[in-house]
Amino acid sequence: DFARLDGRLANGGVTGTFAGGDGRIGKVPLLLSDAAGDWRFLHGALDVTGALTVSDAAASPRLVPLAARHVSLHLAQNRIDATGTLFAPASGARVADVTIAHALASGEGHAALRIPGIAFDDKLQPDQLTRLTYGVIADVKGSVSGDARIAWSPAAVTSTGAFRTAGADLAAAFGPVTGLSTEIHFTDLLNLESAPGQIATIASINPGIPVTDGRIVYRTLPGNRVEVTTGRWPFAGGELTLEPTLLDFSAEQTRRLTFKGAGMDAGQ
């Protein structure tokens, strides 16, 4: 839908401007709004350039609205090809480069997202991009990069992605964390569900007593939950082990963890 569309004949074609554009792609749970820019129809092809806003269509949005700039769309022979770049609205930080292809006849298409590296610092924090981290982590220092793919058809939407960080520092409810490194592979990116067996290494956690060189095996589940298969740390000449647990971050609540110590030297 468009609030305004105008055009004029020029150089054998039709050109014009548009504003107040809204819409979505098939069943993809993302909303497109505030689209504005220029269009041209020439030699059987439509070309559009401009900017718009991309928002989460979920009833309780997981992502903040992102600004899509440098958007370029080409429609010819019943196929749409488009590119653009997503930016964080508050800080202006570049989030992702997007390439879209869509076949009008079949209703099938895909979007490829490349995240070259989001740097978190004093100007940008994760809760400026997603509400899911609010109250869970803060004061993040580090970067996240990765790639994602969303594919759709009249029957279904699928989404996958892989994201990584190396040596990140942050504050958590249980104390400061330094040197967090992980690469997470999502099997359902839109619902934040990962494959099992993801591995994170942590240089140091300090809940009052520093614990170093940790290795955690985990997976993420829909509903903002994290299933921890195991966690292990060398500690006091022995080993500290975290028992399997399910951490639910969908609501503020008490979370209980069970640790076991083996072979520890009381003198250490």
Side-chain angles (χ1 to χ4, degrees):
D1 298 320
F2 292 96
R4 182 181 62 80
L5 179 72
D6 62 43
R8 62 187 178 86
L9 297 172
N11 302 320
V14 187
T15 64
T17 63
F18 64 92
D22 297 301
R24 63 188 301 174
I25 303 173
K27 297 181 179 180
V28 179
L30 297 173
L31 302 178
L32 312 178
S33 62
D34 302 323
D38 302 303
W39 65 274
R40 179 183 67 178
F41 187 77
L42 181 66
H43 303 312
L46 173 68
D47 287 286
V48 177
T49 58
L52 51 86
T53 298
V54 180
S55 306
D56 190 345
S60 181
R62 297 152 293 190
L63 296 172
V64 303
L66 297 175
R69 304 173 190 164
H70 317 304
V71 175
S72 177
L73 180 148
H74 180 75
L75 167 60
Q77 298 179 343
N78 230 21
R79 174 187 168 94
I80 294 174
D81 292 283
T83 59
T85 303
L86 298 175
F87 293 86
S91 67
R94 177 185 174 193
V95 175
D97 299 320
V98 184
T99 302
I100 295 175
H102 180 76
L104 292 174
S106 65
E108 297 177 343
H110 70 271
L113 293 85
R114 186 178 68 87
I115 295 84
I118 306 172
F120 294 112
D121 51 25
D122 294 338
K123 298 179 180 178
L124 178 67
Q125 286 293 296
D127 59 12
Q128 294 175 253
L129 298 177
T130 173
R131 66 172 185 83
L132 299 180
T133 64
Y134 184 78
V136 180
I137 58 174
D139 298 329
V140 179
K141 301 290 189 296
S143 66
V144 174
S145 62
D147 297 276
R149 180 183 175 89
I150 303 173
W152 56 84
S153 70
V157 176
T158 60
S159 57
T160 57
F163 300 87
R164 61 201 63 88
T165 187
D169 301 336
L170 55 92
F174 48 78
V177 175
T178 61
L180 168 64
S181 299
T182 189
E183 179 168 331
I184 181 169
H185 295 263
F186 288 101
T187 54
D188 184 350
L189 176 62
L190 292 173
N191 287 310
L192 296 179
E193 181 174 2
S194 76
Q198 307 299 306
I199 296 174
T201 59
I202 304 172
S204 173
I205 298 178
N206 190 346
I209 300 174
V211 186
T212 59
D213 300 324
R215 183 180 187 272
I216 296 174
V217 181
Y218 70 99
R219 69 181 299 190
T220 59
L221 297 170
N224 207 20
R225 296 172 298 157
V226 179
E227 181 183 79
V228 178
T229 305
T230 186
R232 296 182 183 277
W233 294 261
F235 186 68
E239 184 178 62
L240 193 66
T241 303
L242 171 61
E243 294 286 277
T245 187
L246 180 65
L247 299 174
D248 187 346
F249 294 103
S250 62
E252 188 171 335
Q253 58 185 283
T254 300
R255 302 178 184 92
R256 293 180 171 85
L257 307 177
T258 300
F259 292 86
K260 290 187 175 181
M264 293 190 294
D265 180 352
Q268 297 185 44

